[in-house]
Amino acid sequence: MAKCISIETARQQAITEAVAILSRGLPVAVPTETVYGLAADATDPAAITRIYETKGRPRFNPLICHMADLQMAERYAAFDPVSRRLAERFWPGPLTLVLPLKPESGIHPLATAGLDTVGVRVPQGFAGDLIRAFGHPLAAPSANSSGKISPTTARHVFDDLGGRIELVLDGGPCRVGVESTIVRVEPDRLRLLRPGGIAVEALEEASGLPVERPAGAGAAIEAPGMLASHYAPNAAMQLDARRIAPGDALIRFAGTPVEGEEGARLVLDLSPDGDLAEAAAHLFDYMKKADASGAAHIAVTPVPNRGLGEAINDRLKRAAAPRES
Ligand code: TXA
Ligand code: MG
C-alpha cells in the first residue's frame, strides 16, 4: 500500500521521498491546485509507461508536462508573444499552453504521443517546488484509474490507486477542483482544447483575441461517439434535471428546487450561494459521494455556462456520455 505524507506537516520529507521515487522512474501522486496528478519524469520513457500501466489506460495520449516556472518551460517549448503573455499572467496556475516542442529538448515522445507540440503548465504551490527539486519536467495526468472521476483529495487517490503506487502526497482538497484550461494560440485567435480552471472570458481579456471552442463542447454534444466517456460514475447521470425519482441522488446548484427532492437519497449543493468557483471545487467530490450513495441515477440541476461553469458543464457532459465499451 502507498505511503501517505502530508505536505503541510512534513513538506521537506515529502519532497525528498518523492524525488527519490521519481529518480527510480516511478510515478508519485502529487497535489496540484486543479486535481491530484500521477506525476513521473517526462524525459524517461519507462517512467511514462508506468503512468499508463498504473492508470490502466490502454492508449497513449499526449500528457501535460509540468514545469517549475516560465524559464524552465522555455527550455522545452517555443513561446510566441501571446503565449508568453498568457503564461506571465496566469502562471503559476490552471492554464496549459500547447506550444511547439523544442527539438532535442529531452521530453520523451511518449509524453507528447509523438506530436511536435507539447502541453505545458506551471502548477501552483507544492508541485512547482517538487519539480524544481527534481530538476526535470513532470508528465502528470489526473491520478485516477482510466475512465474514473478525477481525484481532488489524497483519500480519493489512495482508495483508487493506493495498491499500485508507492507514495501519495497529501495537500488537502484541491483549491480549483477541475483540470486546467488547455489552449493553443493561433495567429488570430485562441483555440480552446479543454475548458478548465481559467475562465475563457479571462483568456479573451488577457490576450485580446477571440476564443474558438471545440466543436461539441458548450451547448450541444454534436457527436456523442466522439466524446470519450470520462469522469464516469457508476450511476447514470441526468443533466438539467427538473424532477427526480425516489431513491435517486441530487446534485444541485444555488439551491435550485427539484420536484420530488424530498424522496432523494442524498442532496448536495455545489454552491448554495451560486459561486461557480466554489461549485467547481466541489464537483468531483460530490459526484463521488453521490455515486457512493448507491443511487441508480444522479440528477444534476443546470449550472450557468459562464466562467468556471463552462468547465463544470464539460465534465458533467462527459460523465453523462455513453460509456466506451
Ligand atoms: O489540471 C491539469 O491539467 C491536470 C493536473 C494534474 O495538472 N493534468 C491533466 O493532464 O489533466 P492530462 O495529461 O490528463 O491532460 C492531457 C490532455 C490530453 O488529453 C490533451 O487533450 C491535452 O492534454 N494535450 C496535452 N498535450 C497536447 C498536445 N501536444 N496537443 C494537444 N493537446 C494536448
Ligand atoms: Mg484525467
Side-chain angles (χ1 to χ4, degrees), residues 18-132:
V19 166
I21 292 169
L22 292 168
S23 303
R24 286 163 47 218
L26 297 174
V28 171
V30 179
T32 83
E33 76 279 37
T34 58
V35 299
Y36 278 71
L38 188 64
D41 186 347
T43 68
D44 177 351
I48 298 157
T49 304
R50 291 303 275 266
I51 292 178
Y52 284 93
E53 285 172 3
T54 305
K55 285 180 66 84
R57 190 189 269 192
R59 291 162 300 159
F60 285 82
N61 296 331
L63 297 175
I64 294 170
C65 293
H66 298 71
M67 307 286 171
D69 48 37
L70 175 57
Q71 198 187 351
M72 180 177 183
E74 300 225 41
R75 298 214 300 269
Y76 298 92
F79 282 72
D80 59 274
V82 174
S83 294
R84 187 174 293 106
R85 193 185 325 151
L86 293 175
E88 283 167 351
R89 168 81 183 271
F90 295 108
W91 283 355
L95 176 68
T96 295
L97 295 165
V98 172
L99 298 164
L101 180 65
K102 284 193 173 168
E104 315 294 322
S105 71
I107 289 185
H108 195 272
L110 277 180
T112 56
L115 298 171
D116 55 9
T117 55
V118 59
V120 291
R121 117 168 164 92
V122 174
Q124 267 165 12
F126 175 84
D129 293 345
L130 175 62
I131 296 162
R132 199 167 287 111

Side-chain angles (χ1 to χ4, degrees), residues 55-270:
K55 285 180 66 84
R57 190 189 269 192
R59 291 162 300 159
F60 285 82
N61 296 331
L63 297 175
I64 294 170
C65 293
H66 298 71
M67 307 286 171
D69 48 37
L70 175 57
Q71 198 187 351
M72 180 177 183
E74 300 225 41
R75 298 214 300 269
Y76 298 92
F79 282 72
D80 59 274
V82 174
S83 294
R84 187 174 293 106
R85 193 185 325 151
L86 293 175
E88 283 167 351
R89 168 81 183 271
F90 295 108
W91 283 355
L95 176 68
T96 295
L97 295 165
V98 172
L99 298 164
L101 180 65
K102 284 193 173 168
E104 315 294 322
S105 71
I107 289 185
H108 195 272
L110 277 180
T112 56
L115 298 171
D116 55 9
T117 55
V118 59
V120 291
R121 117 168 164 92
V122 174
Q124 267 165 12
F126 175 84
D129 293 345
L130 175 62
I131 296 162
R132 199 167 287 111
F134 183 50
H136 294 234
L138 293 178
S142 53
N144 53 276
S145 301
S146 184
K148 297 290 183 209
I149 298 167
S150 298
T152 54
T153 66
R155 166 58 61 181
H156 293 160
V157 180
F158 191 85
D159 289 347
D160 181 9
L161 301 181
R164 283 180 257 163
I165 57 179
E166 292 193 16
L167 182 61
V168 177
L169 300 179
D170 186 352
C174 299
R175 184 180 60 77
V176 176
V178 291
E179 294 87 345
S180 60
T181 301
I182 307 179
V183 290
R184 178 158 193 179
V185 174
E186 296 187 346
D188 53 353
R189 64 188 153 184
L190 307 185
R191 188 176 291 280
L192 180 70
L193 301 178
R194 178 177 76 186
I198 297 283
V200 165
E201 295 89 332
L203 293 173
E204 275 170 341
E205 198 221 285
S207 66
L209 293 174
V211 172
E212 184 172 304
R213 290 167 169 84
I221 297 170
E222 285 170 5
M226 299 292 291
L227 194 57
S229 167
H230 254 101
Y231 316 100
N234 297 312
M237 301 283 293
Q238 282 174 355
L239 305 189
D240 299 329
R242 309 280 172 185
R243 73 180 72 81
I244 67 166
D248 286 349
L250 172 62
I251 299 179
R252 67 167 140 220
F253 177 76
T256 309
V258 170
E259 205 181 304
E261 63 180 87
E262 56 293 334
R265 177 185 297 254
L266 177 73
V267 180
L268 297 166
D269 197 326
L270 291 169

Side-chain angles (χ1 to χ4, degrees), residues 270-285:
L270 291 169
S271 171
D273 296 334
D275 177 340
L276 289 164
E278 182 186 29
H282 287 150
L283 179 67
F284 292 148
D285 188 49

